Amino acid sequence: MCRRQALLPASAIINSTKNTAVISCRFSLKEFDTGVELELSLIWNFVRNSEFELQVIAMGSGQWSVEQRTPLRTEPLVSEYEPETGCLSIIVLGASGDLAKKKTFPALFHLYRQGFIQSQDVHIFGYARTKISDDDLRDRIRGYLTPCKGCERSHEEDVSQFLQLIKYVSGAYDTEEGFRSLDKEISEYELSKNSTQGSSRRLFYLALPPSVYPPVCKMIKSYCMNKSDLGGWTRIVVEKPFGRDLESAEELSAQIGELFDEPQIYRIDHYLGKELVQNLMVLRFANRFFLPLWNRDNISNIQIVFREDFGTEGRGGYFDQYGIIRDIIQNHLLQVLCLVAMEKPVSLKPEHVRDEKVKVLQSVLPIEDSEVVLGQYEGYTDDPTVPDNSNTPTFATIVLRIHNERWEGVPFIIKAGKALNSRKAEIRVQFKDVPGDIYKSKKQGRNEFVIRLQPSEAMYMKLTVKQPGLEMNTVQSELDLSYGQRYQQTIIPEAYERLILDTIRGDQQHFVRRDELKAAWEIFTPLLHRIDRGEVKSVPYTPGSRGPEGADKLAEKAGFVQTHGYIWIPPTL
């Protein structure tokens, strides 16, 4: 039986503040068949930077019904972080360089825009050798400060207010004069805020090449430290690459370690700040159905893939000093492997998490040359800054094997390359074949759990289902969580935003500890030295291809089964 109803608008009220907007609408709903009239009140509560709540209140026949629905139900973790007092000085060394203007300053702007750093508590100092004024630096940065989603109207005002927080100091990286001038500017700011000596906070971000880390750290230690310990602190953030091999990394760690304690040092790897990478531990340890599956009994192989569809693009000379293994695999992809393979930590305290990551690295077996395929795209040496006889790989597929109870016999296939046919970074967990396959679906492909890190962040489970229709046919499909569709109103922060906020809060969970860095270099240094000596050659491959043919053959030999005829397509809104 169909009911005849009419929805009659009655009133609408809008109340708003800086952070919230509440829209209240009242309706009358009349059923002509029964004569019952209900009054509905719809209340939308929009909270800045989060999705809305919808509350429905129905009244009629003397009965009340209240239902509250929240698209995103979150359970915040109990955080040990307590907001600190005392003014905060953020010093960006290398302020006139590309990294600072493209990554560091935009990350600071978005933290400011979202209220995580307050104008009354923070000042930002740029330091570099270039002789420019405060306004010159601000003009260089301005074009890289893009608006947040939904904040376009106030963007210009936000940018202007943020840029006024920035002051520039020019000086050399290895002389006393420049750093005394920097300390003078910082101290004057701290005094202007009536900060008690020793209670202020100083964060030094080294957006610099590693070759100048030792002299810069020495100057900071000698002339720019917080003067005493009354609740304040001095911290330094250093960027990759942390050396070229085990020996150089240990030498660099020793030089910095002589000047600063480990809790003061934040070795940043921006992959650890990516949303889907930070989700790995939650997926593994907060979901019951993953716990019994995540082991060698069920998983055939795991691929961790990084692909770019462009070459070195004018950075050939720099890239040739490092290659794809030092640039991508030894740091970014190895950090992802740790989170995929680690055991559950005792707690979420940074040291407990990093302890488990170190155990994984120490369990990795030596790399066999037979499980390595290197490539160099044709045209790479056309760059005048690259030697004609360069053996530097722009592509690598490496099989890593972890010798422990959970992962014995499961190959971790690590792939990274430039000038390929697509751009993506993902983790692909491939499960073993179904025993006793009564549907004969083995030829269609295995079950896979895929975590797409970039672009189009998503998680999807590839599985076999019945094809709709009268026939009993099976087909590959997916259970899909695509972030662009599910979290339309949520602003997903950039990796640098999250990691800089962690440094301010003193949370080192997503930063690389010294023994972790050492263990990572111990895995790759023997192979890298063989490549440098020309004992392992890079084979040419065509730009825009999948890479060297031997890479797919190596993955197949390791146990990976390619699915043909199935392509995951990100859902459209």
Side-chain angles (χ1 to χ4, degrees), residues 176-413:
E176 174 183 336
E177 182 182 0
F179 283 86
R180 283 196 181 277
S181 297
L182 177 61
D183 181 66
K184 180 174 179 291
E185 294 289 349
I186 299 172
S187 298
E188 287 179 357
Y189 159 69
E190 291 170 349
L191 287 172
S192 72
K193 295 295 183 180
N194 298 317
S195 179
T196 305
Q197 189 178 54
S199 67
S200 59
R201 299 167 288 161
R202 297 185 178 188
L203 176 62
F204 291 86
Y205 194 110
L206 277 60
L208 296 166
S211 58
V212 298
Y213 287 172
V216 167
C217 288
K218 187 175 181 181
M219 291 296 108
I220 294 172
K221 181 69 173 181
S222 300
Y223 305 109
C224 295
M225 294 289 286
N226 202 358
K227 299 302 182 290
S228 61
D229 185 10
L230 295 177
W233 44 255
T234 302
R235 294 171 185 154
I236 65 166
V237 181
V238 291
E239 281 273 358
K240 78 168 186 74
F242 311 113
R244 285 179 46 81
D245 55 15
L246 177 60
E247 182 181 358
S248 59
E250 279 291 276
E251 181 181 358
L252 187 60
S253 292
Q255 290 173 325
I256 298 175
E258 290 176 357
L259 301 168
F260 298 97
D261 297 330
E262 187 66 25
Q264 295 178 287
I265 304 169
Y266 289 73
R267 300 175 188 86
I268 195 169
D269 185 328
H270 77 272
Y271 252 60
L272 290 175
K274 288 184 175 294
E275 182 68 32
L276 270 294
V277 174
Q278 296 216 333
N279 209 345
L280 283 171
M281 284 181 58
V282 179
L283 283 169
R284 287 194 54 201
F285 304 127
N287 294 286
R288 179 63 181 263
F289 64 85
F290 279 128
L291 295 178
L293 297 178
W294 213 260
N295 54 52
R296 61 190 177 93
D297 296 331
N298 299 286
I299 293 175
S300 169
N301 60 82
I302 296 176
Q303 286 198 65
I304 302 173
V305 178
F306 173 92
R307 304 167 66 91
E308 287 182 335
D309 55 3
F310 53 88
T312 54
E313 296 192 336
R315 295 176 61 247
Y318 170 82
F319 182 85
D320 198 67
Q321 300 175 50
Y322 296 97
I324 199 72
I325 297 175
R326 291 183 175 99
D327 193 40
I328 301 295
I329 295 178
Q330 182 274 336
N331 37 68
H332 299 331
L333 302 193
L334 198 61
Q335 286 295 317
V336 173
L337 179 145
C338 288
L339 294 172
V340 170
M342 64 185 278
E343 297 298 319
K344 183 187 289 187
V346 174
S347 75
L348 292 176
K349 291 181 178 179
E351 294 313 305
H352 290 158
V353 173
R354 298 198 289 183
D355 285 346
E356 296 302 330
K357 290 167 66 181
V358 171
K359 290 178 185 177
V360 171
L361 295 174
Q362 292 173 339
S363 299
V364 175
L365 295 172
I367 298 170
E368 300 288 343
D369 288 354
S370 61
E371 295 194 311
V372 175
V373 172
L374 304 179
Q376 185 184 95
Y377 67 84
E378 296 169 353
Y380 170 72
T381 56
D382 293 345
D383 187 322
T385 61
V386 175
D388 292 338
N389 61 347
S390 172
N391 187 46
T392 300
T394 61
F395 176 98
T397 293
I398 301 172
V399 178
L400 297 181
R401 298 184 182 274
I402 299 174
H403 181 55
N404 65 18
E405 183 180 5
R406 181 181 294 273
W407 298 116
E408 187 75 42
V410 178
F412 285 75
I413 305 166

Side-chain angles (χ1 to χ4, degrees), residues 319-573:
F319 182 85
D320 198 67
Q321 300 175 50
Y322 296 97
I324 199 72
I325 297 175
R326 291 183 175 99
D327 193 40
I328 301 295
I329 295 178
Q330 182 274 336
N331 37 68
H332 299 331
L333 302 193
L334 198 61
Q335 286 295 317
V336 173
L337 179 145
C338 288
L339 294 172
V340 170
M342 64 185 278
E343 297 298 319
K344 183 187 289 187
V346 174
S347 75
L348 292 176
K349 291 181 178 179
E351 294 313 305
H352 290 158
V353 173
R354 298 198 289 183
D355 285 346
E356 296 302 330
K357 290 167 66 181
V358 171
K359 290 178 185 177
V360 171
L361 295 174
Q362 292 173 339
S363 299
V364 175
L365 295 172
I367 298 170
E368 300 288 343
D369 288 354
S370 61
E371 295 194 311
V372 175
V373 172
L374 304 179
Q376 185 184 95
Y377 67 84
E378 296 169 353
Y380 170 72
T381 56
D382 293 345
D383 187 322
T385 61
V386 175
D388 292 338
N389 61 347
S390 172
N391 187 46
T392 300
T394 61
F395 176 98
T397 293
I398 301 172
V399 178
L400 297 181
R401 298 184 182 274
I402 299 174
H403 181 55
N404 65 18
E405 183 180 5
R406 181 181 294 273
W407 298 116
E408 187 75 42
V410 178
F412 285 75
I413 305 166
I414 314 298
K415 291 184 178 182
K418 290 182 172 291
L420 300 175
N421 60 347
S422 63
R423 172 182 172 263
K424 69 178 179 181
E426 70 178 21
I427 305 159
R428 185 174 295 268
V429 180
Q430 186 172 86
F431 292 88
K432 292 182 176 181
D433 292 324
V434 175
D437 180 15
I438 60 174
Y439 288 102
K440 305 296 188 291
S441 58
K442 179 179 178 180
K443 61 184 179 181
Q444 293 178 345
R446 291 171 165 174
N447 294 147
E448 292 180 349
F449 179 51
V450 183
I451 303 172
R452 174 68 72 94
L453 304 179
Q454 66 179 34
S456 304
E457 294 95 336
M459 290 178 276
Y460 62 94
M461 181 79 76
K462 198 168 75 175
L463 69 171
T464 301
V465 299
K466 177 186 176 297
Q467 188 171 15
L470 296 176
E471 300 294 336
M472 179 53 72
N473 296 322
T474 59
V475 67
Q476 286 265 309
S477 189
E478 71 280 326
L479 299 175
D480 190 308
L481 171 58
S482 290
Y483 275 48
Q485 184 182 53
R486 177 66 180 86
Y487 303 116
Q488 296 178 37
Q489 306 300 323
T490 301
I491 298 172
I492 297 178
E494 290 291 330
Y496 279 92
E497 296 173 38
R498 194 189 311 272
L499 295 176
I500 290 175
L501 183 60
D502 283 346
T503 63
I504 295 171
R505 293 177 169 178
D507 184 351
Q508 290 187 303
Q509 177 179 329
H510 302 114
F511 295 84
V512 181
R513 201 167 64 189
R514 180 174 176 176
D515 58 341
E516 187 180 345
L517 177 64
K518 179 182 178 182
W521 277 117
E522 286 174 340
I523 294 169
F524 287 101
T525 293
L527 173 63
L528 289 167
H529 284 177
R530 293 196 295 274
I531 296 171
D532 293 342
R533 292 193 297 264
E535 297 171 10
V536 184
K537 297 290 187 180
S538 297
V539 300
Y541 64 93
T542 304
S545 67
R546 287 177 53 85
E549 290 184 7
D552 286 338
K553 292 179 180 178
L554 175 60
E556 183 179 353
K557 181 181 176 183
F560 175 71
V561 176
Q562 181 75 38
T563 300
H564 298 284
Y566 169 88
I567 300 176
W568 175 74
I569 301 175
T572 55
L573 301 180

Side-chain angles (χ1 to χ4, degrees), residues 50 53 70 72-81 282 286 348 505:
S50 66
E53 293 182 348
T70 320
L72 295 179
R73 296 187 61 183
T74 59
E75 298 293 338
L77 293 174
V78 177
S79 174
E80 295 184 357
Y81 171 72
V282 179
L348 292 176
R505 293 177 169 178

